[in-house]
Amino acid sequence: MNRAQANMPSSPLGRKINSYMSLTSEERTFLADLERNVTRHGSRSDLLQQGERYGCVRVMRKGWAIRHKALPDGRRQVVNFVLPGDIIGFYCNLFETADHGVTTLTPAEVANFQPERIIELFKLFPRLAAALAWSGAKEEAIIAERLLSVGRRTALERTAHLIVELLRRLSIVGLVEEGRFTLPVTQEILADALGLSIVHINRTLRRLRDIGLIDLAGQQITVHDVKQLASVGQFDELYLHLIQAPKQLEHALDAKPDRKRAGD
Amino acid sequence: MNRAQANMPSSPLGRKINSYMSLTSEERTFLADLERNVTRHGSRSDLLQQGERYGCVRVMRKGWAIRHKALPDGRRQVVNFVLPGDIIGFYCNLFETADHGVTTLTPAEVANFQPERIIELFKLFPRLAAALAWSGAKEEAIIAERLLSVGRRTALERTAHLIVELLRRLSIVGLVEEGRFTLPVTQEILADALGLSIVHINRTLRRLRDIGLIDLAGQQITVHDVKQLASVGQFDELYLHLIQAPKQLEHALDAKPDRKRAGD
DNA sequence: CGTTACCTTGATATCGTTCAAGTACCGTGG
DNA sequence: CCACGGTACTTGAACGATATCAAGGTAACG
């Protein structure tokens, strides 16, 4: 966090990567170039539709979105929240069609680039490729944790857990102030993220408010006692480490591959 | 499937990759070398414990395992089934500690290699790196689909869906014969995978049997009418495509990166 | 032949859903 | 400035899917 301003990438993605691996100027240039083509979208607009052929890879620069999957009869599951700095459809572009949709929750600023650039990335900037791949693994970990929530935690626990998760993720990109952040979601979306009904989410939030763990005012949510909320949600510190930066990543990425060769 | 025997990699991982991207002999050699160090494990042994520091990367060669996460009070969620050809902890080695455990369900044959080899892989064989990364994305898609199941499908639907999923995945590696395959799991494990109680899984399986969709005999399960079972589980063809090989992957990986340069 | 692990099924309890009704808020057009 | 309609939130009441409790049953194994 104490790096010279001049060296700080200006995009959330750049900042995110920079937070666990310092970038060479070539890498920085390449990354910035990927984010050059920016488009703006209104609230509630589809960045990707389930079943659609993938177009370009997208990077969220500003705003929130959700990744969601729907059943034919309309039941829906929100798989994850897409926050600034997150990538949409990284490898997925190699799939035939999208198995999920992505929809903005707020007005959003999105960078777009061609999937071929990813192959280029793999060939020219292996360190960067590995870093982005690691980022993808992190997302998988988040989804697995949500699966644990939905499969095994009670309504109160899952709700508490999700709030702590969002708090943690947002504070990495500097969007939390004194336990307060903007939560631009309807209760319907929370319900779809947690596998609950709207009514029950409503009652659960009320309970969390009554206990005095959170405050809700419009889209502002305030977490009074993160520790207690985390304990209600059984928020695991192991999981926290995943969301934050790994210490040995940079070191690992800088290891010279040639020293120990493959077929010794 | 009609490639010359001589060119067919002998390991499930090699076969899996070979199924969507033909490998150069260097790549094949590197891959084979990764799998050189094989260890054997009994049934119900932990290949990785939740909270443990990651050791080496592992490749499942023979047998089944589960990836699972537990809550402090013992509740448990099975995140995914690890089948032959699957990799355990690919990028995850860059995390501090494991956020999940991996436990064998059958006697297993596992290949082990050092995490540094992955960096090596990224630097020396970008095509292979991208292919493995894609494989990881596929796993994420599978987990997301399970999240949809657990969050939004009824017990009957999820159970049907899981059976079809396993059938599909196993047939890729040639482990299904006429709708029949070995399912080396207890009902407790199924319950933990689907977010249900043991009792309820039992009743649900009974219902599927009564309807005549499946037959169970010990660990042998026979699916009589895949189509009907898939329709009960709302098994999506989009999802099926994910599990199987992408057509354009190889083409994409062969694109020359040097033609269009980064910072033109 | 007793012990253990797993499967099975009935009875009862509960968490979360569905249905229903009402409220608050906001933008829009008269 | 007010009436209107839409969207989201809220709360009560009844219902239902799934959990929990309890009690066998069966097969494998030392």
Side-chain angles (χ1 to χ4, degrees):
Chain A
M1 295 290 174
N2 265 333
R3 287 206 166 83
Q5 278 291 57
N7 281 337
M8 271 293 270
S10 62
S11 81
L13 175 59
R15 272 204 298 277
K16 198 168 84 168
I17 296 181
N18 201 58
S19 82
Y20 53 79
M21 179 178 107
S22 52
L23 298 164
T24 69
S25 71
E26 287 83 16
E27 287 166 342
R28 206 168 301 217
T29 307
F30 183 82
L31 212 48
D33 191 63
L34 286 184
E35 290 195 66
R36 213 176 37 179
N37 176 17
V38 175
T39 54
R40 260 160 255 274
H41 305 260
S43 193
R44 301 300 172 105
S45 61
D46 288 342
L47 298 180
L48 178 68
Q49 275 181 321
Q50 192 169 350
E52 186 184 53
R53 201 141 175 13
Y54 273 103
C56 43
V57 184
R58 310 188 117 134
V59 182
M60 203 73 185
R61 291 174 56 94
K62 221 181 242 173
W64 284 51
I66 47 174
R67 220 181 113 191
H68 51 90
K69 305 188 69 155
L71 292 174
D73 62 6
R75 281 175 289 174
R76 187 179 69 157
Q77 177 70 37
V78 169
V79 173
N80 205 356
F81 292 90
V82 183
L83 308 183
D86 289 350
I87 299 179
I88 301 168
F90 185 48
Y91 311 113
C92 306
N93 276 277
L94 299 171
F95 293 131
E96 299 280 325
T97 48
D99 69 326
H100 61 266
V102 176
T103 304
T104 59
L105 297 178
T106 66
E109 234 179 80
V110 179
N112 308 271
F113 60 88
Q114 291 306 310
E116 294 85 47
R117 304 294 298 272
I118 288 181
I119 308 298
E120 200 178 318
L121 173 71
F122 268 85
K123 300 206 174 167
L124 302 177
F125 300 100
R127 243 169 53 104
L128 211 46
L132 288 174
W134 179 81
S135 217
K138 216 171 57 167
E139 194 184 334
E140 182 182 316
I142 291 175
I143 297 176
E145 184 71 23
R146 182 116 51 239
L147 180 57
L148 172 61
S149 266
V150 173
R152 289 306 185 205
R153 282 192 251 248
T154 66
L156 191 72
E157 290 165 351
R158 331 180 180 175
T159 308
H161 191 278
L162 177 62
I163 294 171
V164 177
E165 177 200 313
L166 291 174
L167 180 86
R168 300 287 198 199
R169 285 174 66 187
L170 287 170
S171 46
I172 295 176
V173 268
L175 293 173
V176 178
E177 258 180 278
E178 305 172 34
R180 201 182 66 252
F181 60 95
T182 306
L183 192 68
V185 302
T186 61
Q187 295 188 350
E188 182 176 14
I189 288 167
L190 282 184
D192 285 342
L194 296 175
L196 297 169
S197 67
I198 302 185
V199 174
H200 203 61
I201 269 288
N202 184 295
R203 293 195 222 273
T204 305
L205 287 174
R206 161 145 299 285
R207 249 178 97 193
L208 284 175
R209 257 187 297 174
D210 288 348
I211 302 172
L213 287 178
I214 61 169
D215 248 2
L216 285 170
Q219 299 198 322
Q220 295 299 309
I221 181 172
T222 310
V223 176
H224 293 121
D225 187 345
V226 194
K227 249 187 160 167
Q228 209 181 333
L229 192 63
S231 120
V232 169
Q234 288 161 296
F235 194 91
D236 187 353
E237 289 306 307
L238 294 179
Y239 178 56
L240 172 62
H241 286 145
L242 293 193
I243 295 185
Q244 290 176 351
K247 309 222 166 51
Q248 74 266 48
L249 183 58
E250 172 152 21
H251 176 71
L253 293 179
D254 285 335
K256 295 235 179 73
D258 334 66
R259 261 186 238 158
K260 323 182 171 183
R261 273 311 303 269
D264 51 14
Chain B
M1 295 290 174
N2 265 333
R3 288 207 165 84
Q5 277 292 59
N7 280 337
M8 271 293 271
S10 61
S11 80
L13 174 59
R15 271 205 297 279
K16 198 166 85 167
I17 296 180
N18 201 57
S19 82
Y20 52 79
M21 179 177 107
S22 52
L23 298 164
T24 68
S25 72
E26 287 85 16
E27 287 166 342
R28 206 168 301 216
T29 307
F30 184 82
L31 212 48
D33 190 64
L34 286 185
E35 289 196 67
R36 212 177 37 180
N37 175 19
V38 175
T39 54
R40 261 160 256 274
H41 306 261
S43 193
R44 300 298 172 109
S45 61
D46 288 342
L47 299 180
L48 178 67
Q49 275 182 321
Q50 192 170 349
E52 188 184 51
R53 202 143 174 11
Y54 274 103
C56 43
V57 183
R58 311 188 117 134
V59 182
M60 203 73 185
R61 291 174 57 94
K62 223 182 240 173
W64 283 51
I66 47 173
R67 219 182 115 189
H68 51 89
K69 305 187 70 155
L71 292 175
D73 63 5
R75 282 175 288 174
R76 188 177 68 154
Q77 177 70 38
V78 170
V79 174
N80 205 357
F81 292 90
V82 183
L83 307 183
D86 289 351
I87 298 179
I88 301 169
F90 185 49
Y91 310 114
C92 307
N93 275 278
L94 299 171
F95 293 132
E96 298 280 325
T97 49
D99 67 328
H100 61 266
V102 176
T103 305
T104 59
L105 297 178
T106 66
E109 234 179 82
V110 180
N112 309 270
F113 60 89
Q114 292 305 310
E116 296 84 45
R117 305 294 299 271
I118 288 180
I119 309 297
E120 201 178 320
L121 174 70
F122 268 84
K123 299 205 175 170
L124 302 177
F125 300 100
R127 244 170 53 106
L128 210 47
L132 288 174
W134 180 79
S135 218
K138 216 172 56 167
E139 193 184 335
E140 182 183 316
I142 291 174
I143 297 177
E145 185 72 23
R146 181 116 51 241
L147 180 57
L148 173 61
S149 267
V150 173
R152 289 305 187 206
R153 283 192 251 248
T154 66
L156 191 73
E157 290 166 350
R158 334 181 179 174
T159 309
H161 191 278
L162 177 62
I163 294 171
V164 177
E165 178 199 313
L166 290 174
L167 179 85
R168 300 288 197 197
R169 285 174 67 187
L170 286 168
S171 45
I172 295 177
V173 268
L175 292 174
V176 178
E177 258 180 277
E178 305 173 36
R180 201 181 67 253
F181 60 96
T182 306
L183 191 67
V185 303
T186 62
Q187 295 188 351
E188 182 177 14
I189 289 168
L190 282 184
D192 284 342
L194 296 175
L196 298 168
S197 69
I198 303 185
V199 174
H200 203 63
I201 267 289
N202 184 295
R203 293 195 222 274
T204 306
L205 287 174
R206 160 144 298 285
R207 248 177 99 193
L208 285 175
R209 257 187 296 174
D210 289 347
I211 302 174
L213 287 178
I214 62 170
D215 248 2
L216 286 170
Q219 299 198 324
Q220 295 299 310
I221 180 172
T222 309
V223 175
H224 292 121
D225 186 345
V226 195
K227 249 189 161 168
Q228 211 182 332
L229 192 63
S231 119
V232 169
Q234 290 160 298
F235 194 93
D236 188 352
E237 288 307 308
L238 295 178
Y239 178 56
L240 172 63
H241 286 145
L242 294 194
I243 296 185
Q244 289 178 351
K247 306 221 168 50
Q248 74 265 50
L249 183 58
E250 175 153 18
H251 175 71
L253 292 179
D254 285 335
K256 294 235 179 72
D258 334 66
R259 261 187 237 156
K260 324 180 168 185
R261 274 309 305 272
D264 50 15

